[in-house]
Amino acid sequence: MSKPILHGVKVLDLSHMYPGTLCTWLLAALGAEILKVEEPEAVRSGAPFLNQGKKSITLNLKTDAGRGVLYTLAKESDIVVEGFRPGVARRLRVDYDTLRALNPRLVYCSISSFGQTGPSVSYSAHDINFLALSGMLGIGREADRRPLPPAAQVADVAGGGYPALSAILAAYIAVLRDGEGRFLDISMFDWTLLMVARYLMLDPPPRRSRPVVKREHATLAGTAACYDTYEAGDGGFVSLAALGPRQWALLCKALGLERYADAALDPLKTPRIKAAMRRVFKTRPRDHWVELLRNEHGLSVAPVYEPEEVLEDPHVRFRKTLARGRDGVEFTPPFWFAGARKPGGKTCRVGQHTAAVLRSLGYTATEIRQLRKAKAV
């Protein structure tokens, strides 16, 4: 029996959220040796299967001794995957520059909400917020115009875990070729934009409603008060992901609903809580709530963009993943290596490079003409 495709590849998994753990689970499925680095007495979240085929070590990276162990592991590892907020890895002294000094061949992949650069890097965000900012929630609505979050974690998977996996594999191939490590900047927002790019490129953008069946007891499907969309006073909508007791308590205080601070997931109180929250959100316009809850309180909140608003978002304009060009809206693949990325390039025409490719294979001009005459190319 042949060895797994990534047999012998050693991965340090510093992530703890779904996108990173999914990526390393897939690497494990390909045969890589995954070592999870977790905090002492860490409480895991997410599906247990994401830890299959992995080993775990607990390290306190806030201590010199804990970092010392990590440095030793990094010297003999091939890949590091982390999901810290931008700046945290550097503060902990486990960032790419620090580990690269110990192991120049290291592939270091950072998965974050908005990437390592741009005006939104400090914002907190979850799946529903990426779908809102990308225009996905704005395109598909219920009959009453209310955006309804999908039950699946779309952005976490297609915007985080999958692109990280493909970037890591590409970078590892490059290491085998030239011996140089790589830093990979995976922005979940950038990659979520790809999923709706074809709609955003249409002129005019689509507007449609859809029939929706709500599934009860599915927190991420809009049934919980803490993870849903709410209509504001100007008719716009806000996406909210106040996950965890701390964020929920902050939200309740900001909305003047402290009486519900201990009832985030109480199914008996949810209808009453949602009704109260809808009344409060209706008292101010959309952007007021975004400024208050996201910018001032640090909550995972984002506006539900209409398609034409997506390209005007300051972070979209800064990253240039989606931008208007001569041929309409253009998408640049957001594979960031060491702080830079290769432009997507122009759209090729059908057969545009046929002759050049054939020439590179050694075909003469006469042979190429014969192939064309025979309709072989």
Side-chain angles (χ1 to χ4, degrees):
M1 180 180 293
S2 61
K3 294 180 179 179
I5 192 169
L6 294 182
H7 176 77
V9 176
K10 295 183 177 181
V11 180
L12 280 180
D13 184 2
L14 306 184
S15 66
H16 62 280
M17 300 298 284
Y18 187 30
T21 55
L22 171 65
C23 172
T24 53
W25 174 70
L26 292 169
L27 288 169
L30 292 171
E33 179 183 322
I34 312 296
L35 180 60
K36 286 177 62 71
V37 178
E38 302 181 271
E39 294 180 355
E41 302 180 1
V43 178
R44 287 177 174 170
S45 60
F49 77 85
L50 293 173
N51 297 309
Q52 290 176 346
K54 302 179 183 180
K55 295 180 180 179
S56 174
I57 183 173
T58 57
L59 292 177
N60 184 352
L61 299 179
K62 296 179 181 179
T63 65
D64 291 336
R67 283 191 294 270
V69 175
L70 185 77
Y71 294 160
T72 301
L73 290 169
K75 291 177 182 178
E76 58 182 41
S77 296
D78 302 292
I79 298 164
V80 171
V81 179
E82 60 96 345
F84 298 118
R85 283 197 188 189
V88 173
R90 185 175 295 277
R91 289 201 298 272
L92 291 173
R93 285 181 281 163
V94 297
D95 55 296
Y96 174 62
D97 288 339
T98 300
L99 299 189
R100 179 181 59 177
L102 304 172
N103 182 355
R105 294 174 59 89
L106 199 62
V107 172
Y108 188 107
C109 180
S110 292
I111 306 173
S112 61
S113 295
F114 298 98
Q116 301 299 307
T117 56
S120 297
V121 295
S122 64
Y123 293 155
S124 171
H126 286 283
D127 202 274
I128 188 176
N129 309 125
F130 301 124
L131 303 186
L133 288 167
S134 70
M136 191 178 298
L137 287 185
I139 291 172
R141 298 173 181 266
E142 290 186 280
D144 63 356
R145 292 190 64 254
R146 177 175 172 269
L148 186 68
Q153 291 171 269
V154 179
D156 286 344
V157 176
Y162 286 173
L165 174 68
S166 56
I168 286 169
L169 295 177
Y172 185 68
I173 292 172
V175 171
L176 297 179
R177 181 189 64 226
D178 57 32
E180 294 184 17
R182 301 290 194 281
F183 176 78
L184 311 177
D185 175 8
I186 301 297
S187 161
M188 293 175 61
F189 180 41
D190 279 352
W191 283 99
T192 304
L193 287 172
L194 174 60
M195 288 184 277
V196 291
R198 66 184 296 263
Y199 294 107
L200 299 176
M201 293 175 183
L202 297 177
D203 186 19
R207 280 186 174 52
R208 61 184 177 85
S209 296
R210 59 180 178 181
V212 178
V213 177
K214 288 184 63 174
R215 299 186 182 277
E216 300 301 325
H217 312 300
T219 301
L220 301 186
T223 59
C226 62
Y227 195 95
D228 207 345
T229 58
Y230 292 90
E231 186 174 5
D234 59 354
F237 285 82
V238 174
S239 69
L240 169 69
L243 298 175
R246 181 179 174 278
Q247 285 223 340
W248 176 250
L250 284 172
L251 175 72
C252 289
K253 183 177 180 180
L255 298 181
L257 299 174
E258 292 93 335
R259 61 189 181 278
Y260 296 125
D262 297 325
L265 299 177
D266 188 333
L268 298 179
K269 294 182 180 179
T270 294
R272 194 185 326 152
I273 296 173
K274 281 197 170 188
M277 290 176 65
R278 289 183 185 123
R279 287 194 294 271
V280 174
F281 274 107
K282 278 279 200 175
T283 63
R284 295 286 190 278
R286 182 192 73 180
D287 292 348
H288 165 85
W289 294 117
V290 174
E291 174 66 27
L292 174 68
L293 300 177
R294 183 178 73 177
N295 298 1
E296 294 187 24
H297 291 278
L299 294 169
S300 297
V301 172
V304 177
Y305 280 154
E306 297 292 344
E308 61 270 18
E309 293 182 279
V310 175
L311 293 175
E312 302 307 318
D313 180 88
H315 200 76
V316 174
R317 293 170 67 90
F318 181 91
R319 300 281 288 195
K320 296 183 175 65
T321 299
L322 276 175
R324 291 186 176 89
R326 269 187 274 176
D327 299 323
V329 177
E330 299 175 351
F331 180 84
T332 300
F335 282 118
W336 290 81
F337 298 93
R341 63 178 171 181
K342 185 177 183 297
K346 297 180 180 178
T347 302
C348 63
R349 303 186 303 275
V350 175
Q352 180 179 350
H353 305 98
T354 300
V357 172
L358 291 172
R359 285 194 297 271
S360 73
L361 296 175
Y363 284 84
T364 66
T366 299
E367 289 171 329
I368 293 173
R369 285 195 297 270
Q370 289 174 343
L371 289 172
R372 291 191 184 281
K373 186 176 181 180
K375 297 186 178 179
V377 296

